Amino acid sequence: MSTLERARCSLRAHPLALDAALAAGVLACMVAGSFVVPRSENGVTWGVRVPDPLSLLLMLVGAAALVPRRRHAKAVLALTGTVSVIECVTGDPRAPVAMSAVVALYTVAATTDRATTWRLGLLTMTVLTAAAVFAGPLPWYAQENLGVLAWTGIGATAGDAVRSRRAVVQAIRDRAERAERTREEEARRRVAEERLRIARDLHDVVAHHIALVNVQAGVAAHVMDRRPDQAKEALAHVREAGRSALNELRATVGLLRQSGDPEAPTEPAPGLDRLEDLLATFRSAGLPVRAIGADRAAGLPAAVDLAAYRIVQEALTNVRKHAGPGAGAEVSFVRAGPDVEVTVLDDGPGQPGAPADGGGHGLIGMRERVTALGGTLTTGPRPGGGFRVHAILPVRTVTAQGEPV
């Protein structure tokens, strides 16, 4: 950083010192200008004179008043305007005391609103010009009188322009900060949604397979002594369910990998094309289940296909856990206009002490999936016994960009 830049940064850090330096500069300019006579008596355009003591005092007061100009802009304008009026009336020839009033008017215009600038600017221009024209020693048409009008107008205009530029720059900064906050909030929202989606997938996978493992393990323990062959078959189902759970967990957790991580999973998310495999796992666990109209759910968008699969998986898991022994289930798919309706019914009486909502997050997860796609989910007991899960999923959903998928 150069010496000039360091000095500029130091002055910006100490505004009072900067104003004191400005006041000293204005005083030097006023004193230098007071020694010059615009028109001398011998015909020479410029001459040299010695200013009056009163003019020197007024210049000193006007310059000193500029030191606190940032904190008391209007009071400084009143004081510098007063000493300028005195100089306009008494000075002959006139000293440039009005320079301090021009700087003060610039400060007012740069730090206040436009209405205040217009009001105080017109008042200052009118008072100083009237004092110079009607009470001064020079003729009303003298150039010095017009100069007072011009310089006060320039001070007010320059201050207003600086204030407008600062407002524009601040507005740009505010918009940039709001945009940055919006991007951060959007990123946090997306992360939260992704975490919720992964949590739902993990819940569906774990709840389904652990329920099957629990059932098959209970069967194996029950028939271990009397029918070892059936116990071995049940344990084989336990092993297969555990292997399937591990595979789906690996695929789901693999979504959290970075793009450069090795061995990223390539298996697609499950869908209704694997419905028969899903139903087979429940049948092997002793739950009679049949599917109606599964071919009508072909060709669904990926998000709808996954949601329908997970709804069937979680609903049948709840049937196996809570419907009681001897319960059967039915899964049906119906295309109704732009929607597909997924229904899971069971005819079980329910197990004593089992909560109506499953006691976990299954129904909540299903409802979140359906709501995220813009659909509806209704659940509840059937009049003749059993439980009903009915989901309406829109086949054509609208993305955030407004394009149908």
Side-chain angles (χ1 to χ4, degrees):
M1 183 181 295
S2 64
T3 304
L4 180 60
E5 291 178 349
R6 285 196 297 269
R8 186 177 301 172
C9 293
S10 178
L11 289 175
R12 289 178 179 174
H14 302 84
L16 188 62
L18 178 60
D19 291 338
L22 175 63
V26 172
L27 178 61
C29 292
M30 289 191 297
V31 171
S34 65
F35 282 89
V36 178
V37 180
R39 282 180 292 274
S40 62
E41 298 177 355
N42 56 6
V44 181
T45 305
W46 298 98
V48 179
R49 70 178 179 94
V50 178
D52 298 333
L54 179 60
S55 297
L56 291 175
L57 178 61
L58 294 175
M59 286 186 286
L60 182 61
V61 173
L66 295 178
V67 176
R69 66 186 183 95
R70 298 176 189 265
R71 298 180 180 178
H72 310 286
K74 296 179 181 179
V76 170
L77 177 60
L79 180 57
T80 55
T82 301
V83 297
S84 298
V85 169
I86 295 174
E87 176 62 22
C88 288
V89 174
T90 61
D92 186 18
R94 187 180 303 153
V97 181
M99 183 181 298
S100 60
V102 172
V103 176
L105 182 58
Y106 164 85
T107 304
V108 170
T111 56
T112 59
D113 56 280
R114 181 160 294 175
T116 304
T117 300
W118 274 94
R119 186 171 62 253
L120 295 182
L122 289 175
L123 178 62
T124 303
M125 292 171 59
T126 302
V127 171
L128 292 183
T129 304
V133 171
F134 299 107
L138 299 177
W140 67 269
Y141 53 83
Q143 295 182 359
E144 288 81 353
N145 297 338
L146 299 179
V148 172
L149 176 65
W151 281 108
T152 50
I154 290 174
T157 304
D160 185 71
V162 170
R163 181 194 55 77
S164 299
R165 180 181 178 278
R166 289 174 182 171
V168 171
V169 172
Q170 186 62 38
I172 294 175
R173 290 176 179 174
D174 292 341
R175 285 197 298 269
E177 292 177 359
R178 285 196 299 269
E180 184 65 24
R181 287 196 299 268
T182 301
R183 284 193 294 268
E184 293 176 357
E185 292 172 359
E186 179 67 15
R188 286 194 294 267
R189 185 186 64 81
R190 290 178 180 271
V191 169
E193 290 180 353
E194 185 66 13
R195 290 177 60 186
L196 181 61
R197 187 188 65 80
I198 294 174
R200 285 197 299 261
D201 287 342
L202 288 175
H203 172 270
D204 293 343
V205 171
V206 172
H208 165 62
H209 290 289
I210 294 302
L212 296 182
V213 168
N214 183 45
V215 171
Q216 295 294 347
V219 172
H222 182 69
V223 300
M224 179 67 72
D225 297 330
R226 294 178 298 172
R227 303 185 60 181
D229 54 340
Q230 188 175 354
K232 290 181 180 180
E233 181 180 356
L235 291 177
H237 288 308
V238 169
R239 184 171 58 253
E240 180 63 27
R243 184 183 301 109
S244 299
L246 289 176
N247 291 335
E248 290 204 35
L249 283 175
R250 188 179 299 112
T252 303
V253 176
L255 296 174
L256 302 177
R257 292 177 180 266
Q258 302 293 330
S259 58
D261 290 346
E263 298 182 0
T266 57
E267 182 180 0
L272 293 179
D273 56 338
R274 296 171 53 182
L275 179 63
E276 284 302 322
D277 296 337
L278 177 65
L279 299 183
T281 61
F282 285 100
R283 294 183 183 119
S284 65
L287 176 64
V289 56
R290 62 171 181 159
I292 301 176
D295 55 337
R296 300 175 185 174
L300 296 178
V304 179
D305 195 27
L306 174 61
Y309 179 87
R310 293 302 189 194
I311 289 171
V312 173
Q313 183 184 52
E314 180 60 32
L316 292 179
T317 301
N318 288 340
V319 172
R320 192 66 189 85
K321 290 168 59 178
H322 305 298
E330 177 183 287
V331 180
S332 64
F333 301 90
V334 177
R335 292 293 289 266
D339 304 327
V340 60
E341 298 184 13
V342 182
T343 306
V344 180
L345 306 174
D346 71 82
D347 54 6
Q351 295 181 355
D357 61 352
H361 300 281
L363 295 180
I364 296 176
M366 284 191 286
R367 193 174 306 279
E368 289 175 346
R369 287 184 182 277
V370 174
T371 303
L373 296 175
T376 57
L377 178 74
T378 56
T379 60
R382 302 171 62 191
F387 201 80
R388 176 177 181 267
V389 175
H390 179 68
I392 300 177
L393 302 174
V395 177
R396 295 179 63 84
T397 59
V398 179
T399 64
Q401 290 77 17
E403 298 179 357
V405 296

